[in-house]
């Protein structure tokens, strides 16, 4: 078992943290990261094997951006959504160029809450993914089955549909999807915000399945390079066991990323996963 893809911990703040709260989060993160993150975490940040991404609400992004430069390790920032068009008559939307101007390089796409509450579809998810990758962003694409779909033995069919509706055919037009900027987050809807985390075995089963779909579409080497994150009630308590799964390359975390100590604990778990692998090999 190797963690050749490193570990990526992305915090999805959803509609939480005002600008003032964002400022407090980073201030505390800065002062407490020294005591809460050990030498192995610092080394992992330095060699790029551990990556920290945070996705604050749009209005708090600028405040976060002003503070990340003074953090003791690299935190990359992302938006929780962006439109596929670069500009135009799309009231309420934010475009890629607006984010790029703020030096925001990540965008979350297709989150189940966007699908559930805001009418997003496989097709709008495809358009966002395609155009934002084309504009140079790193994209975290969210997919996952609902409770009733899992109960109805539909998990594999749903994951296949959600993923293949976004991925292009192999060859022409696929380069943007294969250069390491596409990250896929498996988020079983029944686990999001419910405290019902998938077991490591359930997460590994879904991730291995997704890797198989990627391999069939793009070949094994591209599939092996694509990071697959687990999301859904991930916490510092269950992170070690999830990261021990060979196909779990990190996590997309909502509630547990809102407090600086929770986020630091998740990063520490990422460092442990990398470190224990180093010691085994
Ligand atoms: P949760 O949210 O960690 O609060 O379950 C995860 C997500 O929706 O990305």
């Amino acid at each position: 078992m190797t963690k050749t893809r490193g570990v990526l911990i992305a915090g999805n703040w959803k509609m939480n943290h005002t600008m003032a709260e964002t400022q407090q989060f980073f201030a505390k993160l800065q002062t407490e990261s020294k005591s809460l993150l050990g030498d192995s975490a610092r080394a992992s940040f330095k060699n790029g094997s551990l990556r920290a991404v945070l996705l604050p609400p749009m209005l708090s992004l600028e405040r976060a951006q002003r503070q990340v430069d003074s953090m003791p390790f690299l935190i990359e920032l992302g938006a929780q959504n962006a439109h596929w068009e670069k500009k135009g008559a799309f009231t309420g939307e934010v475009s890629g160029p607006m984010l790029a101007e703020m030096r925001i390089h990540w965008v979350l796409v297709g989150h189940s809450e966007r699908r559930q509450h805001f009418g997003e579809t496989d097709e709008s998810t495809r358009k966002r993914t395609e155009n934002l990758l084309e504009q140079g962003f790193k994209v975290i694409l969210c997919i996952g089955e609902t409770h009733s779909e899992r109960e109805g033995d539909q998990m594999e069919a749903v994951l296949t549909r959600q993923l293949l509706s976004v991925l292009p055919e192999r060859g022409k037009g696929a380069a943007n999807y294969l250069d390491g900027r596409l990250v896929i987050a498996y988020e079983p809807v029944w686990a999001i915000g419910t405290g019902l985390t998938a077991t490591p075995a359930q997460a590994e089963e879904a991730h291995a399945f997704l890797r198989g779909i990627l391999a069939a579409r793009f070949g094994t080497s591209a599939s092996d390079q694509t990071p697959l994150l687990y999301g859904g009630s991930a916490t510092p308590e269950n992170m070690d066991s999830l990261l021990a799964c060979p196909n779990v390359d990190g996590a997309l975390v909502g509630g547990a990323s809102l407090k600086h100590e929770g986020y630091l604990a998740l990063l520490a778990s990422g460092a442990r996963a990398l470190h224990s692998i180093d010691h085994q090999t």
Side-chain angles (χ1 to χ4, degrees):
M1 186 174 83
T2 56
K3 279 261 173 281
T4 50
R5 293 168 290 269
V7 170
L8 194 162
I9 305 290
N12 174 16
W13 285 0
K14 309 190 180 186
M15 199 172 69
N16 296 293
H17 284 350
T18 63
M19 288 187 272
E21 288 162 350
T22 300
Q23 184 149 347
Q24 282 165 15
F25 175 95
F26 280 101
K28 288 184 184 152
L29 194 77
Q30 183 177 22
T31 45
E32 288 181 36
S33 63
K34 279 197 184 70
S35 55
L36 295 178
L37 285 183
D39 289 345
S40 68
R42 276 188 284 276
S44 303
F45 279 121
K46 259 200 188 129
N47 67 25
S49 57
L50 181 59
R51 291 191 289 168
V53 175
L54 275 176
L55 309 156
M58 291 292 182
L59 276 180
S60 300
L61 265 175
E62 209 232 346
R63 193 64 66 97
Q65 186 62 276
R66 277 197 247 158
Q67 288 173 278
V68 282
D69 288 345
S70 48
M71 293 302 122
F73 56 93
L74 176 66
I75 299 180
E76 298 176 73
L77 294 174
Q80 295 169 20
N81 198 17
H83 200 270
W84 53 88
E85 293 291 342
K86 291 185 177 169
K87 62 177 185 172
F90 300 102
T91 302
E93 292 289 309
V94 164
S95 74
M98 294 170 188
L99 295 169
E101 191 178 53
M102 287 174 67
R103 295 181 292 126
I104 302 299
H105 303 301
W106 287 87
V107 183
L108 191 66
V109 165
H111 191 280
S112 65
E113 286 154 14
R114 300 288 323 165
R115 297 178 194 247
Q116 204 181 331
H117 304 303
F118 303 100
E120 301 230 356
T121 60
D122 288 342
E123 177 57 9
S124 64
T125 302
R126 182 195 68 74
K127 285 200 270 190
R128 287 180 209 276
T129 306
E130 180 182 335
N131 287 286
L132 292 164
L133 284 172
E134 180 63 30
Q135 291 172 39
F137 286 94
K138 299 176 212 179
V139 169
I140 301 176
L141 163 67
C142 303
I143 57 176
E145 82 287 356
T146 62
H147 180 67
S148 62
E149 287 164 343
R150 176 169 275 262
E151 291 292 293
D153 216 9
Q154 290 298 300
M155 180 190 87
E156 294 190 351
V158 170
L159 295 184
T160 304
R161 190 201 78 227
Q162 290 182 334
L163 189 51
L164 288 186
S165 62
V166 170
L167 299 179
E169 293 298 331
R170 192 173 184 165
K172 196 170 166 273
N176 284 340
Y177 297 74
L178 306 178
D179 62 7
R181 289 183 296 122
L182 177 67
V183 174
I184 294 163
Y186 167 61
E187 297 208 303
V189 178
W190 48 271
I192 295 176
T194 58
L196 294 172
T197 322
T199 62
Q202 287 171 323
E204 176 58 22
E205 183 195 12
H207 284 218
F209 180 72
L210 292 173
R211 212 171 288 292
I213 297 179
L214 288 167
R217 177 62 55 107
F218 295 135
T220 41
S221 121
S223 162
D224 284 348
Q225 280 162 30
T226 304
L228 301 180
L229 311 183
Y230 168 78
S233 299
T235 64
E237 288 71 39
N238 55 38
M239 200 72 272
D240 285 353
S241 58
L242 287 161
L243 287 177
C245 301
N247 282 298
V248 175
D249 307 311
L252 178 59
V253 188
S257 73
L258 286 173
K259 291 199 172 140
H260 70 285
E261 64 267 39
Y263 188 58
L264 286 170
L266 291 161
L267 292 171
S269 173
R272 271 197 300 281
L274 292 161
H275 194 64
S276 66
I277 299 303
D278 286 350
H279 279 243
Q280 281 165 23
T281 50

